[in-house]
Amino acid sequence: VIELTDIAYVRSSSPDVEGAVRFAVEIVGLELVDHDGSTAYLRADQRHHCLAIEDGEPGVRGSGLCVSDLDALADAERELEAAGVSVSRGTADEAASRRVEAYIAFDDPAGNHIELVVDQAVLGRPVHFGRDAGIIEFGHICLDAPDTKVAADFYCSVFSAKLSDRVGDAARLLRIDPVHHKLAVFQSDGPGLCHINLQVASLDALMTNWRFLERTGVEIQSGPGRHPTSNAIFVYFSGPDQMTYEYSFGVRRIEDDAAWRPRVFPLEEPGSIDAWCGPTQRVTSQPQLQQESPVPSVAAPA
Ligand SMILES: [Fe+2]
């Protein structure tokens, strides 16, 4: 089993990097850390970046997840190949552009491009937020999958993720540490990035952000509401290029791992997505782009 230690970043691309960065800084409140060549790096916490926006057609290029060290990465490469998954190793230049020591890349069963990284750079200086949104942390990555059970089973068998709760077959919420979910899979026609989550410090920050977004004319996709699964209070809103951002506050922690039993909230029941029964809709996703250097998709198990 490959032990996932954290989430690292999302790599997205846009035909208008300047516009996407302006939104990420002035509306979302992230810090623009660096903009070298065609890639802009944005951060929410000590990580060098949680979002890299590259010049190109709109879509998601990949998502980074962490393993502990180079030995763990080498083990992961073997375990993935043993599980019938084709793996490629990033070059030194590619690792440098991701601000990691090393990484390997593969596609999950849904076709999401995943990068397993070691030693993502950490910045010691305080985060210089673009706006006072009360952001405290890059909270989770939510991916799309045609079959959420197949995708979740992959992360929970080949990897160390655990199912925390699910909303029918529409959403499966996975934990890799005590936080209720740092990885989620939502049902969709194909692979993609459903949303990127940022945790905020307080209910006041969440609601003040919601009012700010409304005042600024940003499209609110859902919320404010409360997820009965994670207990978090949320608001989802639209960025450029079909990117969906989520602010949330108060996510549940599962401290007694052994005692937790995953629960099923039927999608058709009011209150399964929002306990306050507000209007909910499937949020928009960024489609998974084909890679620059094609990574072979998941091979059928032998
Ligand atoms: Fe979320």
Side-chain angles (χ1 to χ4, degrees):
V1 170
I2 303 164
E3 198 77 29
L4 293 172
T5 56
D6 208 345
I7 54 174
Y9 55 72
V10 165
R11 289 172 53 231
S12 182
S13 77
S14 170
D16 175 16
V17 176
E18 299 299 333
V21 166
R22 202 177 317 119
F23 186 90
V25 171
E26 294 176 11
I27 304 296
V28 183
L30 300 176
E31 175 186 347
L32 176 63
V33 172
D34 200 357
H35 193 165
D36 62 10
S38 60
T39 304
Y41 300 90
L42 297 131
R43 73 166 173 155
D45 51 33
Q46 299 302 100
R47 293 169 178 86
H48 178 275
H49 62 279
C50 62
L51 177 61
I53 303 175
E54 303 175 13
D55 190 30
E57 58 177 315
V60 62
R61 295 228 170 133
S63 299
L65 306 173
C66 307
V67 295
S68 61
D69 55 28
L70 292 172
D71 287 344
L73 193 68
D75 289 346
E77 192 167 10
R78 280 190 291 273
E79 287 184 48
L80 282 163
E81 280 169 352
V85 179
S86 296
V87 181
S88 66
R89 201 167 252 270
T91 64
D93 280 352
E94 289 170 329
S97 82
R98 287 156 176 76
R99 303 301 196 274
V100 300
E101 190 66 27
Y103 78 95
I104 60 175
F106 62 92
D107 285 357
D108 79 3
N112 291 298
H113 186 68
I114 304 295
E115 298 172 350
L116 275 189
V117 314
V118 170
D119 287 347
Q120 179 181 28
V122 167
L123 301 182
R125 60 183 184 269
V127 184
H128 183 70
F129 291 105
R131 179 177 78 79
D132 183 15
I135 293 170
I136 49 174
E137 195 178 28
F138 174 35
H140 60 255
I141 298 171
C142 182
L143 301 171
D144 282 352
D147 187 328
T148 60
K149 182 174 188 327
V150 169
D153 285 351
F154 174 74
Y155 289 106
C156 296
S157 60
V158 179
F159 293 91
S160 60
K162 289 178 179 142
L163 180 67
S164 291
D165 285 313
R166 66 183 171 98
V167 181
D169 286 315
R172 282 177 158 82
L173 308 169
L174 310 177
R175 69 185 182 282
I176 57 175
D177 62 21
V179 174
H180 181 273
H181 59 281
K182 282 201 170 167
L183 199 57
V185 201
F186 278 25
Q187 203 279 326
S188 188
D189 292 339
L193 174 72
C194 178
H195 62 272
I196 178 170
N197 171 282
L198 302 162
Q199 299 287 315
V200 297
S202 64
L203 180 58
D204 281 343
L206 192 287
M207 297 303 277
T208 306
N209 285 334
W210 169 54
R211 291 294 190 193
F212 169 80
L213 296 170
E214 281 210 318
R215 207 163 52 239
T216 316
V218 173
E219 185 198 6
I220 308 290
Q221 295 193 35
S222 187
R226 184 194 288 278
H227 289 309
T229 46
S230 65
N231 214 38
I233 297 170
F234 64 86
V235 59
Y236 294 91
F237 58 102
S238 304
D241 311 306
Q242 284 184 274
M243 169 78 97
T244 298
Y245 290 93
E246 178 190 20
Y247 290 129
S248 71
F249 164 68
V251 67
R252 180 192 307 280
R253 291 176 64 89
I254 298 175
E255 302 290 354
D256 189 350
D257 211 49
W260 185 264
R261 294 289 172 269
R263 301 166 301 169
V264 186
F265 296 76
L267 178 64
E268 63 278 11
E269 292 290 344
S272 286
I273 292 171
D274 176 8
W276 302 339
C277 300
T280 53
Q281 57 173 335
R282 175 59 165 82
V283 298
T284 60
S285 294
Q286 277 202 328
Q288 172 68 57
L289 298 173
Q290 295 310 307
Q291 295 306 299
E292 309 86 325
S293 45
V295 175
S297 57
V298 178

